[in-house]
Amino acid sequence: MTSPSALLLKIESIISDIAESLSRGESPKYTMVSKSRSNVTQDATGIRLGDTTTQVEMFGRQGASAMKFSKVVTVLSLVYKLLSNGDKVTQRDAYYTLSGTFSSQHDFNSCFEDVLRILDVPRRTLGVTAAPKGSVAGAVSIIHGSQHIDCLMLGKSGYELPGDPTTLQFKSLGARYIVVVEKDAVFKSLCEKVLWNEVPCILITGRGYPGLAVREVVSRCEKQFKIPVLGLFDYNPHGLQILLTYRFGSTRMGREGIQHTSNMLWLGLHWFDVKDAHVKHFKNFTKKDQQLCDSLLSQPFINQNHKFYEDLKQFVVEKILKKKYIIERSFEEYG
């Protein structure tokens, strides 16, 4: 892992180069790892990011380049201050610190992702962690500093995972499976039913699209306990995309985004689980859903995995593309 002192020197060099270019009347540039398709390898085993880089100019062809460039430099300056002082903040707190510069959390996140690719290091190395997003319950105990948490004894909300799970230690309490669910509502319902009494398991949710912290916890538990990981998601393209993020990662956060993966098995939902369900359990299939479905069908790891490919094609073949199944509607009716 790159040391804070080395990162400080790298940031100083970047800022110095920018200042020198401006003094010469030239357009400043910075270099970052490319996310172009030619630099991303995808197959049935996962996603890998290559070493190709791309340059971004301050006064480029696009009108927004100068503004985006200055925002990235602002984030680099914040990171420099955090590293210098040995401080840590959540990504959300970092946005609030710079809210006068950024119009939204999404605006900040976009620039921060560029900084990750410029420095080519994990987020936590820069003193920035994710905001808590995800919970765990069931047959596992967690040691966090002086705290010992028995997740068998928690309520329906479970234990909220911190943005930096490297501080956590896990101990299995007889778990035979790791069950990952998409929705927080489903997680709470399964907690209320004390699922782990029937199926000895560790129950985890990322509350929708999973952050790096949740994916790291799933990956660590799979490797440490050597038990299967089962995924339960909505029967729609977004549910499958979330499953694939756990399986293969994402290049959105640079190399860090593809480090924490798991060999997740698709427990459901599948076409045969929902084909006889009442129409009220479905939502309309939107244009955005169709676009995502088409995009996923073009991905190599979908085309090389027969089960994933067939389930996606089922949206079209069975004309289910006009509807999508939302799992919590069944929980509301059947419990």
Side-chain angles (χ1 to χ4, degrees), residues 30-42 47-56 113-121 250-256 258:
Y30 57 72
T31 302
M32 60 184 180
V33 177
S34 173
K35 288 198 303 183
S36 66
R37 287 198 172 189
S38 61
N39 196 40
V40 178
T41 303
Q42 301 179 352
I47 304 173
R48 287 170 293 281
L49 197 60
D51 297 321
T52 302
T53 59
T54 184
Q55 283 194 329
V56 178
E113 288 163 17
D114 281 0
V115 167
L116 290 176
R117 292 193 290 134
I118 291 168
L119 299 176
D120 201 12
V121 293
S250 166
T251 60
R252 189 172 60 87
M253 299 296 287
R255 297 186 200 281
E256 183 183 20
I258 54 179

Side-chain angles (χ1 to χ4, degrees), residues 161-176:
L161 293 168
D164 182 2
T166 57
T167 58
L168 304 180
Q169 297 178 50
F170 301 94
K171 180 181 178 182
S172 173
L173 300 177
R176 295 176 58 189

Side-chain angles (χ1 to χ4, degrees), residues 232-268:
L232 182 61
F233 306 96
D234 285 343
Y235 182 70
N236 59 38
H238 296 276
L240 180 55
Q241 184 184 43
I242 291 172
L243 165 68
L244 294 174
T245 301
Y246 281 107
R247 284 272 315 241
F248 302 120
S250 166
T251 60
R252 189 172 60 87
M253 299 296 287
R255 297 186 200 281
E256 183 183 20
I258 54 179
Q259 287 178 348
H260 307 299
T261 59
S262 61
N263 189 31
M264 182 178 286
L265 304 175
W266 193 2
L267 180 63

Side-chain angles (χ1 to χ4, degrees), residues 58-68:
M58 185 173 188
F59 305 115
R61 294 179 180 178
Q62 298 180 348
S65 293
M67 178 65 74
K68 176 70 177 288

Side-chain angles (χ1 to χ4, degrees), residues 4-25:
S5 58
L7 285 170
L8 288 170
L9 288 173
K10 188 170 184 178
I11 294 172
E12 288 171 1
S13 176
I14 293 169
I15 300 299
S16 176
D17 288 345
I18 291 172
E20 288 180 10
S21 294
L22 287 171
S23 69
R24 294 193 299 266

Side-chain angles (χ1 to χ4, degrees), residues 124-269:
R124 65 173 63 100
T125 308
L126 305 182
V128 181
T129 63
K133 183 178 179 285
S135 300
V136 60
V140 66
S141 66
I142 298 173
I143 301 172
H144 188 195
S146 60
Q147 289 184 302
H148 290 246
I149 302 101
D150 183 346
C151 292
L152 288 169
M153 308 302 292
L154 299 179
K156 67 177 183 180
S157 295
Y159 174 78
E160 185 172 60
L161 293 168
D164 182 2
T166 57
T167 58
L168 304 180
Q169 297 178 50
F170 301 94
K171 180 181 178 182
S172 173
L173 300 177
R176 295 176 58 189
Y177 306 96
I178 300 165
V179 178
V180 179
V181 297
E182 175 181 350
K183 302 288 184 63
D184 191 45
V186 175
F187 175 85
K188 290 178 177 177
S189 179
L190 293 174
C191 285
E192 287 180 334
K193 296 178 183 304
V194 198
L195 172 68
W196 45 88
N197 282 351
E198 301 296 327
V199 181
C201 68
I202 301 168
L203 183 64
I204 299 175
T205 181
R207 302 174 192 163
Y209 190 90
L212 285 170
V214 175
R215 284 149 53 190
E216 180 176 344
V217 168
V218 172
S219 179
R220 280 179 58 189
C221 287
E222 178 189 36
K223 291 179 174 65
Q224 181 178 340
F225 304 137
K226 296 179 173 55
I227 54 179
V229 180
L230 310 177
L232 182 61
F233 306 96
D234 285 343
Y235 182 70
N236 59 38
H238 296 276
L240 180 55
Q241 184 184 43
I242 291 172
L243 165 68
L244 294 174
T245 301
Y246 281 107
R247 284 272 315 241
F248 302 120
S250 166
T251 60
R252 189 172 60 87
M253 299 296 287
R255 297 186 200 281
E256 183 183 20
I258 54 179
Q259 287 178 348
H260 307 299
T261 59
S262 61
N263 189 31
M264 182 178 286
L265 304 175
W266 193 2
L267 180 63
L269 293 170

